């Protein structure tokens, strides 16, 4: 049905349908499942995301390593002070992205979007924007189909794996997906969704995957926070009429190329970048020394 | 196209922290468990690439064991899979391999029960999606572009026809198929790639036929 963003947008324009609907139609055609069945599964995914957001913004979760947790709550409390510089919507999204990834790091239940390490961006943006746009439950489910449609193109033309393409493939992809879906929810055109995706992805190009001690915690959680904020700003720019000078599909191809040429030390091996800093080395020793003792006692 | 469904992108629902290193690992473990058909008493786990470097941090170890205990990616028992394995007497040994595999997230599982042994090599390609690339020293030539069905069966006439018949009845189209065996008249392996998903009911129907040993599916 579609392999590129261009084809996806053309299809939506030709049929005069939103991207989310094109994705649903494709899913029906490819799997033979009913619309109700497909919608119900996505609705369930939405519930899992909501539960993770709620947990991470109300309950102080701590990861097994003890390295992370509680920042979602910190940002929530700061928001209540009314002093937030970035504005409520943006910071809500940031706190919820952080919350989701803190739950993930604590081995809680999440929905991968497109991966677990980048699972905070899409729900962060979706639930962060809820007060502002007041979407219906169905519109929220549609947001996920739209995000999925663009993620589908990225996954098949580039990568969504940190081990294969670095963090640009994970948080970068999630940021582009969220930006594109947000444009549709805010009433933008399919073409504007593509522009938002292009702008988001351009600004995460080259982002390496350098998890401290190999854990999906540092810097993953804060990268989800920044991904959520970048997604909202990209959507705003696209809705304002700003266009990417490099077409979206070419940005995706560039991301693929950068991923292929990225040194292995920066692709989820915990051998370079932040993972190779003296503090990271110390943390790694501390975590694995104490955790191996813990499991054996 | 490696990713076929919107739920490959928005999903799976899973226990954290990593889709490739936790959910993907659980799925590979579970396919191995299903194909083995029973609880092994010992499993040797050989990790390659990023799996070898970061498995402790990502919970790859507990996820693989969870899968080998037949848990799904969102089963909360994964967190304590090590102690569940201990409870039922499953011995697990991990090996961090230096050798370079084609994909950074590769694992080879060797399942044992008494004299019986099964080897499976799986790859976690991202977002929780996995592929099986080797089974009992047979290199599988699956494209990874469709759902896959693995059937261990008695090497006997009619086995292929039985399976093909059931798939046809459920309007499932076969896009690729290979049958391999080591010794005539003993155990053979049928690997089928299809256009449509294979439900648990269809897999169970195949398992229920004569001469079929174990069936596993991969979406």
């Amino acid at each position: 049905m579609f392999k590129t963003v261009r084809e996806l947008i053309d299809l939506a324009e030709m049929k005069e349908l939103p991207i989310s609907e094109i994705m649903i139609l494709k899913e029906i055609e490819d799997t033979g499942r009913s619309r109700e069945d497909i919608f119900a599964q996505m609705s369930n995914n939405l519930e899992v995301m909501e539960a993770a957001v709620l947990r991470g913004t109300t309950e102080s979760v701590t990861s097994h390593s003890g390295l992370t947790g509680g920042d979602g709550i910190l940002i929530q409390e700061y928001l209540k002070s009314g002093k937030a510089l970035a504005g409520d919507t943006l910071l809500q999204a940031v706190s919820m992205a952080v919350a989701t990834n803190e739950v993930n790091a604590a081995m809680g239940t999440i929905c991968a979007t497109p991966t677990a390490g980048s699972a905070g961006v899409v729900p962060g943006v979706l639930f962060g924007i809820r007060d502002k746009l007041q979407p219906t439950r169905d519109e929220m489910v549609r947001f996920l189909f739209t995000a999925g449609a663009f993620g589908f193109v990225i996954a098949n033309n580039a990568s969504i794996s940190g081990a294969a393409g670095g963090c640009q493939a994970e948080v970068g992809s999630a940021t582009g997906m969220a930006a594109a879906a947000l444009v549709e929810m805010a009433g933008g055109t399919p073409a504007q969704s593509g522009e938002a995706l292009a702008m988001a992805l351009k600004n995460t190009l080259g982002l390496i995957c350098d998890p401290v001690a190999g854990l999906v915690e540092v810097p993953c959680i804060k990268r989800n926070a920044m991904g959520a904020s970048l997604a909202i700003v990209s959507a705003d720019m696209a809705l304002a009429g700003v266009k990417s000078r490099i077409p979206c599909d070419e940005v995706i191809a560039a991301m693929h190329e950068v991923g292929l040429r990225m040194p292995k030390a920066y692709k989820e091996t915990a051998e370079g970048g932040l993972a190779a800093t003296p503090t990271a080395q110390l943390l790694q020793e501390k975590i694995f020394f104490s955790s191996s003792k813990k499991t054996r006692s | 196209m490696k990713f076929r469904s919107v739920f490959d992108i928005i999903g799976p629902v899973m226990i954290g922290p990593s889709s490739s290193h936790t959910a993907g690992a659980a799925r590979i473990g579970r396919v191995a468990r299903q194909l083995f058909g029973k609880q092994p008493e010992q499993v040797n786990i050989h990790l390659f690439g990023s799996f070898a470097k970061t498995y402790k941090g990502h919970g790859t170890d507990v996820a693989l064991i969870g899968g080998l205990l037949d848990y799904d990616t969102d089963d909360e028992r994964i967190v304590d899979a090590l102690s569940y394995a201990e409870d039922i007497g499953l011995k697990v040994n991990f090996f961090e391999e230096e050798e370079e595999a084609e994909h950074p997230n590769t694992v080879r599982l060797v399942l044992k029960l008494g004299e019986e042994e099964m080897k499976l090599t799986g790859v976690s390609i991202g977002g929780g999606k996995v592929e099986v690339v080797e089974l009992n020293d047979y290199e599988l030539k699956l494209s990874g572009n469709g759902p896959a069905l693995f059937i261990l069966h008695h090497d006997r006439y009619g086995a292929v026809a039985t399976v093909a018949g059931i798939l046809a009845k459920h309007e499932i189209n076969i896009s690729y198929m290979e049958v391999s065996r080591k010794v005539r008249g003993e155990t053979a392996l049928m690997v089928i790639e299809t256009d449509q998903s294979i439900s648990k009911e269809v897999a169970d129907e195949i398992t229920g036929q004569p001469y079929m040993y174990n069936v596993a599916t991969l979406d």
Side-chain angles (χ1 to χ4, degrees):
Chain A
M1 221 169 173
F2 60 88
K3 281 185 181 150
T4 63
V5 170
R6 184 71 261 159
E7 287 169 11
L8 176 61
I9 292 170
D10 284 350
L11 212 54
E13 286 175 347
M14 193 179 69
K15 296 193 173 188
E16 295 184 2
L17 291 171
I19 300 280
S20 51
E21 185 58 25
I22 301 289
M23 188 71 240
I24 294 169
L25 291 174
K26 177 179 162 53
E27 193 72 14
I28 293 171
E29 188 182 295
D30 287 356
T31 63
R33 294 170 65 195
S34 72
R35 170 183 292 270
E36 293 68 36
D37 197 20
I38 292 165
F39 211 84
Q41 186 177 348
M42 195 60 94
S43 192
N44 177 63
N45 287 0
L46 179 66
E47 275 164 35
V48 169
M49 292 178 198
E50 188 167 29
V53 164
L54 186 70
R55 189 176 161 204
T57 48
T58 54
E59 177 191 323
S60 189
V61 290
T62 310
S63 66
H64 276 254
S65 68
L67 207 52
T68 54
D71 287 350
I73 289 187
L74 268 187
I75 304 168
Q76 277 292 320
E77 281 167 1
Y78 174 68
L79 258 168
K80 282 181 202 135
S81 74
K83 292 182 196 153
L85 304 174
D88 279 6
T89 302
L90 200 76
L91 225 51
Q92 278 290 357
V94 164
S95 75
M96 289 166 175
V98 168
T100 302
N101 280 83
E102 285 182 339
V103 168
N104 180 57
M107 291 193 93
T109 307
I110 55 99
C111 178
T113 53
T115 65
S118 59
V121 178
V122 169
V125 169
L126 177 53
F127 288 97
I129 209 81
R130 186 160 55 167
D131 280 352
K132 175 106 182 166
L133 295 181
Q134 305 271 330
T136 63
R137 200 72 187 173
D138 274 11
E139 284 166 347
M140 293 182 84
V141 177
R142 281 194 174 269
F143 181 100
L144 299 179
F145 279 108
T146 307
F150 286 101
F152 177 84
V153 172
I154 300 170
N156 283 312
N157 290 292
S159 169
I160 52 166
S161 150
C167 192
Q168 55 165 5
E170 296 206 27
V171 169
S173 299
T175 303
M177 287 158 54
L182 182 53
V183 166
E184 180 177 304
M185 183 178 265
T189 64
Q192 286 174 327
S193 282
E195 299 297 343
L197 168 58
M199 285 188 275
L201 217 51
K202 279 156 84 169
N203 285 286
T204 50
L205 269 193
L207 195 60
I208 60 171
C209 178
D210 49 352
V212 170
L215 302 161
V216 193
E217 298 189 45
V218 180
C220 321
I221 296 173
K222 293 188 185 80
R223 285 197 182 143
N224 274 265
M226 296 309 162
S229 63
L230 177 59
I232 294 175
V233 176
S234 302
D236 260 339
M237 284 172 72
L239 287 164
V242 178
K243 289 182 178 140
S244 169
R245 296 294 180 266
I246 307 296
C248 192
D249 286 310
E250 291 183 36
V251 177
I252 293 171
M255 189 259 261
H256 186 47
E257 186 241 2
V258 170
L260 288 175
R261 295 168 77 163
M262 191 180 280
K264 220 179 293 163
Y266 304 142
K267 290 197 272 197
E268 214 173 339
T269 52
E271 289 176 335
L274 294 171
T277 57
T279 301
Q281 300 291 314
L282 272 176
L283 286 171
Q284 179 162 357
E285 237 169 78
K286 216 168 86 184
I287 291 161
F288 289 129
F289 181 62
S290 57
S291 75
S292 62
K293 263 205 329 208
K294 227 186 291 168
T295 51
R296 267 169 209 142
S297 64
Chain B
M1 304 258 268
K2 298 275 184 194
F3 296 82
R4 296 179 300 277
S5 162
V6 69
F7 299 109
D8 290 340
I9 309 297
I10 309 294
V13 171
M14 53 166 282
I15 303 299
S18 166
S19 49
S20 54
H21 289 62
T22 318
R27 279 181 168 165
I28 293 171
R30 196 164 190 220
V31 169
R33 168 68 178 77
Q34 287 178 351
L35 263 181
F36 200 57
K38 50 202 160 286
Q39 197 59 62
E41 59 188 8
Q42 191 191 328
V43 183
N44 291 339
I45 300 177
H46 303 265
L47 302 156
F48 299 85
S50 171
F51 264 8
K53 301 258 193 295
T54 65
Y55 73 100
K56 282 181 194 153
H58 284 123
T60 308
D61 44 0
V62 286
L64 281 165
I65 297 169
L68 287 162
L69 293 170
D70 209 14
Y71 301 164
D72 206 347
T73 56
D74 62 348
D75 195 319
E76 285 172 9
R77 288 176 296 177
I78 282 178
V79 181
D80 301 310
L82 266 171
S83 58
Y84 285 113
E86 227 167 83
D87 288 349
I88 62 158
L90 168 63
K91 271 204 300 199
V92 188
N93 305 307
F94 284 94
F95 303 91
E96 296 164 31
E97 303 292 348
E98 295 286 329
E99 187 191 328
E100 220 161 286
E102 209 165 297
H103 190 281
N105 295 333
T106 299
V107 59
R108 183 184 301 135
L109 303 172
V110 184
L111 289 73
K112 290 177 189 173
L113 179 66
E115 294 286 287
E116 227 177 307
E117 184 183 288
M118 189 190 90
K119 285 182 266 184
L120 179 145
T121 305
V123 174
S124 182
I125 63 166
K129 200 110 175 93
V130 304
E131 290 172 1
V132 176
V133 295
E134 194 182 6
L135 190 68
N136 287 344
D137 297 327
Y138 290 115
E139 199 180 311
L140 304 181
K141 294 174 197 73
L142 291 170
S143 69
N145 291 341
L149 181 62
F150 305 86
I151 303 162
L152 279 170
H153 60 98
H154 187 62
D155 181 35
R156 191 176 194 276
Y157 64 87
V160 171
T162 302
V163 173
I166 290 172
L167 292 178
K169 191 178 77 184
H170 292 278
E171 298 179 7
I172 293 168
N173 187 43
I174 296 173
S175 58
Y176 176 82
M177 178 166 188
E178 60 183 77
V179 183
S180 41
R181 64 175 186 196
K182 278 191 181 145
V183 181
R184 188 164 131 189
E186 289 186 4
T187 302
L189 169 71
M190 215 185 297
V191 182
I192 299 172
E193 216 164 8
T194 60
D195 289 336
Q196 290 80 18
S197 290
I198 301 140
S199 67
K200 194 180 174 301
E201 288 70 36
V202 174
D204 287 347
E205 191 176 337
I206 293 169
T207 313
Q209 303 301 312
Y211 308 112
M212 301 295 153
Y213 299 142
N214 303 313
V215 177
T217 58
L218 205 55
D219 218 20

